[in-house]
Amino acid sequence: LSRRPDAAWLSAYGRGASGPAGDALKVLAGGPSVWFATVPGDGPQGAPAAVGRCVVDGRWAGFAAVETAPERRREGLATAVMAELARTALAEGASAAYLQVEPENTAARAMYARMGFADHHSYHYRRAPRG
């Protein structure tokens, strides 16, 4: 666990080939108590096998950016990331949790359902037209 995302964590984060920069990185690292989890990889490039992020704000723990390298899926790494982040959030006084997951990610949604999470609401992003 760390308080800031390092280069390895950012390399595994799926929102950009080189990771977020500038304002996006400020948002990713912003919040009252932010934690980044990394499961080290065993490949020659040193890319993490899995990563995740949790923001603790009072009684709420918000989980997001849980990603597992495609070749390491179905090994329990995302579950381990969630468990470690949850232990940390509990130690900081969190007693409720929410998470973000994309609706088409059926494998992740099944994992989160096994953890007790259920759909509450949805959201979407709007982008300016290109050009």
Side-chain angles (χ1 to χ4, degrees):
L1 292 177
S2 65
R3 289 294 197 167
R4 305 249 343 136
D6 61 13
W9 192 98
L10 291 170
S11 74
Y13 180 58
R15 297 293 183 261
S18 62
D23 290 339
L25 186 55
K26 288 178 189 174
V27 170
L28 187 64
S33 179
V34 185
W35 290 99
F36 296 87
T38 304
V39 176
D42 52 7
Q45 303 299 330
V51 297
R53 173 182 176 266
C54 180
V55 176
V56 182
D57 187 357
R59 69 179 285 251
W60 287 99
F63 299 91
V66 178
E67 310 243 358
T68 302
E71 69 278 6
R72 299 294 305 271
R73 291 185 178 148
R74 314 262 331 141
E75 295 180 21
L77 299 178
T79 300
V81 164
M82 288 291 292
E84 190 62 27
L85 290 170
R87 277 190 284 276
T88 301
L90 284 168
E92 288 191 8
S95 60
Y98 63 92
L99 62 86
Q100 290 179 292
V101 62
E102 295 175 0
E104 65 276 359
N105 192 342
T106 56
R109 291 170 58 86
M111 176 191 72
Y112 295 133
R114 288 190 300 274
M115 293 178 181
F117 287 96
D119 286 348
H120 186 273
H121 66 277
S122 62
Y123 65 96
H124 65 273
Y125 293 101
R126 295 191 186 271
R127 296 179 187 208
R130 291 185 182 181

Coordinates of all heavy atoms in Angstrom, one line a residue, residues 126-131:
R126 N -19.7 11.9 -20.2 CA -20.0 12.7 -21.4 C -18.7 13.3 -21.9 O -17.9 13.7 -21.1 CB -21.0 13.8 -21.2 CG -22.4 13.3 -20.8 CD -23.4 14.4 -20.8 NE -24.7 14.0 -20.4 CZ -25.6 13.4 -21.1 NH1 -25.4 13.3 -22.4 NH2 -26.8 13.0 -20.6
R127 N -18.5 13.2 -23.2 CA -17.3 13.8 -23.8 C -17.7 14.7 -24.9 O -18.7 14.5 -25.6 CB -16.4 12.7 -24.4 CG -15.9 11.8 -23.3 CD -15.1 10.7 -23.9 NE -14.8 9.8 -22.8 CZ -13.7 9.0 -22.8 NH1 -12.9 9.1 -23.7 NH2 -13.5 8.2 -21.8
A128 N -16.9 15.8 -25.1 CA -17.1 16.7 -26.1 C -16.9 16.0 -27.5 O -16.0 15.1 -27.5 CB -16.2 17.9 -26.0
P129 N -17.7 16.3 -28.5 CA -17.4 15.7 -29.8 C -16.0 16.0 -30.3 O -15.5 17.1 -30.0 CB -18.5 16.4 -30.7 CG -19.4 17.0 -29.8 CD -18.7 17.3 -28.5
R130 N -15.4 15.1 -31.0 CA -14.1 15.3 -31.6 C -14.2 16.3 -32.7 O -15.1 16.3 -33.4 CB -13.5 14.0 -32.1 CG -13.2 13.1 -30.9 CD -12.5 11.9 -31.5 NE -12.3 11.0 -30.3 CZ -11.7 9.8 -30.4 NH1 -11.3 9.4 -31.6 NH2 -11.5 9.1 -29.4
G131 N -13.1 17.1 -32.8 CA -13.1 18.1 -33.9 C -13.8 19.3 -33.6 O -14.0 20.3 -34.1

